[in-house]
Amino acid sequence: MSVDTVSLTGWGRTAPTTALRFRPRTYEDAAVAVRGRGPRGVVARGLGRAHGDAAQNAGGSVVDMTALDRIRAVDAVAGTVVCDAGVSLHRLMETVLPLGWFLPVTPATRQVTVGGAIGSDVHGRNHRTAGSFARHVRSLELLTADGEVRTVLPGTDLFAATTGGLGLTGVILSATLGLRPVATSLMSVDTARAADLDGALARLGACGDRTPYAAAWIDLLARGRSTGRAVVTRGEHAPLDALPARARRAALAFRPGQLPGAAALMPEGLLGRTPAALLNELRYRGSPASRTGELQRISTFFHPMDAPHWVRVPGRSGSVQYQFTVGAGHEEALHRIVRQLTLRRAPAFHAVLKRFGEGGPGWLSFPAPGWTLSFGLPAGLPGLARLLDGLDEEVAAAGGRVCLAKDARMRPGLLAAMYPRLPEFRALRETLDPTGAFRSDLSRRLAL
């Protein structure tokens, strides 16, 4: 096991803090790292794709899990996989897709570890039908503060605290996951433009079981009658007979490739208000008014944030990612927030609207029935803190919540209103980890 001192940030590249980093190669190494923690505690870290400060620990220890990346067993009949927590979703796809299986839930980047996906209880475009990642975890092995390795099963309080618990109950060492059968590695995709936010909501609301994956890119700079205009994409895994004859011989091949994008041609940080508006206009006008059955690679459809240019867009100051959800019946709150952003003329990027289904078991899991909107803003934007504080108030007043795995700046006052099971989480933490072994910058900031 190697040990060094490093400065770490989230994916947004804001608020760097310094920690002692342990890089275990065995489960025993991970236990040594937890036992060797200092007074500032310890937290696990994967590939660093949490946008905020959930995997940072100023003055404490961080356990980098990326060397624990063994795929231990694949049951190609039952559709399950057993793997270490440091395995990336990309590696899982490389392994299980050729066998006719796919991850039931994938976020907008495949460069996420299994442990990170569980600790954040990530969601995808199919939450309405498949729920979040935790729903498909059959069991997990958790290293707790007392040095024990516990097998944690769905339906238990420890499972509910760990899935979506942001690494604060212990270090996830491995997991058994259920998979989804697929016939090909391509998606059959329908695309349509929506003239405004109501049109986008209507198209997403009309999705049936034939197209379980759905999301809308929202133009947050369009004004007037075009406020909230969108490009809606819906999809399903393509059946074998949808592929051209020449492609059927390698129907399950996983070839991610590089994603194209106009912003790849831009110098770093050029995404100010005027260039952003121009790019949004080009994207909206360049999308088909209506197209059905287009075949796309899995990486093109699911993983836009793996495009090589994505991290360059906000510039050297980094970015703040904001995601919230409000329930059905609170669409007016969503409208008000979109109007605020539009009037503010904030150069938002990667703005995505999705529909959520039933929430998962995690006490701090983000998804809840209704609508969710996520977007990024340059961290150096003048008045950003005041703008987002106001959005927090709007979201809380509508009974909604902000995504903690993407948060880097929310104040703790609204947390209990957004996450009503927070007292249970704190009580279990107090019992399981009375000395506060597991801590992070986020846990200190929000008093978790």
Side-chain angles (χ1 to χ4, degrees):
M1 175 170 62
S2 64
V3 184
D4 59 359
T5 300
V6 292
S7 178
L8 298 170
T9 71
W11 206 13
R13 296 183 291 127
T14 62
T17 57
T18 300
L20 189 66
R21 177 174 60 184
F22 294 84
R23 306 183 84 169
R25 295 189 175 278
T26 66
Y27 295 168
E28 292 75 19
D29 283 350
V32 169
V34 170
R35 287 196 299 268
R37 67 187 180 272
R40 297 280 287 180
V42 62
V43 71
R45 181 181 176 94
L47 287 165
R49 292 307 193 264
H51 289 272
D53 53 5
Q56 297 171 229
N57 188 21
S61 301
V62 168
V63 182
D64 182 329
M65 298 293 289
T66 53
L68 288 169
D69 61 352
R70 288 162 292 184
I71 297 176
R72 295 177 171 267
V74 178
D75 188 330
V77 176
T80 60
V81 59
V82 183
C83 62
D84 288 348
V87 172
S88 71
L89 302 192
H90 174 86
R91 265 203 68 209
L92 279 185
M93 291 177 197
E94 285 184 318
T95 301
V96 303
L97 253 177
L99 302 175
W101 297 96
F102 188 66
L103 296 176
V105 172
T106 176
T109 170
R110 61 190 179 274
Q111 300 302 329
V112 176
T113 62
V114 168
I118 296 170
S120 300
D121 195 17
V122 297
H123 58 272
R125 296 182 175 210
N126 60 337
H127 188 273
R128 178 181 57 85
T129 57
S132 52
F133 201 86
R135 185 184 293 185
H136 308 279
V137 176
R138 305 287 178 84
S139 67
L140 61 90
E141 300 294 311
L142 184 72
L143 172 64
T144 51
D146 55 10
E148 286 190 43
V149 176
R150 305 175 186 232
T151 299
V152 184
L153 300 175
T156 63
D157 284 354
L158 187 52
F159 189 88
T162 300
T163 53
L166 302 166
L168 298 176
T169 61
V171 177
I172 298 169
L173 297 175
S174 67
T176 300
L177 310 175
L179 302 170
R180 169 181 178 156
V182 294
T184 74
S185 62
L186 295 175
M187 302 296 295
S188 176
V189 181
D190 300 342
T191 305
R193 292 199 301 245
D196 55 22
L197 183 57
D198 280 331
L201 292 171
R203 287 187 179 276
L204 290 174
C207 289
D209 292 338
R210 192 184 70 82
T211 51
Y213 301 99
W217 166 78
I218 303 289
D219 183 355
L220 291 178
L221 285 169
R223 294 184 287 180
R225 289 181 296 180
S226 297
T227 298
R229 68 180 180 178
V231 178
V232 180
T233 53
R234 302 180 293 184
E236 174 56 296
H237 295 276
L240 188 62
D241 59 12
L243 273 59
R246 67 181 182 278
R248 294 177 191 174
R249 292 190 295 271
L252 290 166
F254 181 46
R255 302 188 182 99
Q258 279 197 341
L259 297 178
L265 305 176
M266 296 166 47
E268 182 173 354
L270 190 59
L271 194 57
R273 183 178 301 155
T274 300
L278 176 59
L279 284 172
N280 286 359
E281 183 70 25
L282 290 172
R283 179 168 183 176
Y284 183 78
R285 298 295 175 189
S287 299
S290 180
R291 180 173 60 198
T292 60
E294 179 192 12
L295 293 178
Q296 291 184 6
R297 291 177 176 178
I298 276 174
S299 54
T300 303
F301 182 76
F302 284 113
H303 306 130
M305 295 178 80
D306 289 335
H309 67 270
W310 189 88
V311 75
R312 296 174 57 83
V313 169
R316 296 185 187 279
S317 64
S319 64
V320 172
Q321 220 29 50
Y322 191 85
Q323 183 168 12
F324 68 92
T325 185
V326 294
H330 291 277
E331 287 81 3
E332 184 50 41
L334 179 60
H335 275 275
R336 285 194 299 270
I337 289 171
V338 169
R339 285 197 296 268
Q340 285 182 54
L341 294 167
T342 298
L343 292 173
R344 178 68 169 73
R345 303 292 288 158
F349 57 93
H350 195 68
V352 178
L353 177 69
K354 296 191 289 282
R355 185 180 168 199
F356 276 163
E358 291 301 315
W363 289 341
L364 296 188
S365 183
F366 167 65
W371 304 98
T372 181
L373 177 65
S374 64
F375 54 89
L377 292 169
L381 185 70
L384 179 62
R386 186 170 60 255
L387 169 66
L388 296 183
D389 285 347
L391 296 190
D392 290 345
E393 298 281 352
E394 185 85 48
V395 169
R401 60 181 59 159
V402 169
C403 180
L404 299 182
K406 294 186 177 180
D407 178 57
R409 31 68 46 198
M410 190 171 73
R411 295 175 295 185
L414 295 174
L415 191 63
M418 293 182 177
Y419 289 88
R421 304 201 73 172
L422 179 63
E424 294 167 81
F425 178 81
R426 285 174 169 157
L428 185 141
R429 278 247 296 154
E430 181 64 29
T431 301
L432 185 69
D433 182 11
T435 63
F438 295 104
R439 305 184 207 174
S440 65
D441 290 356
L442 180 141
S443 75
R444 278 187 287 270
R445 176 169 54 82
L446 294 179
L448 288 173

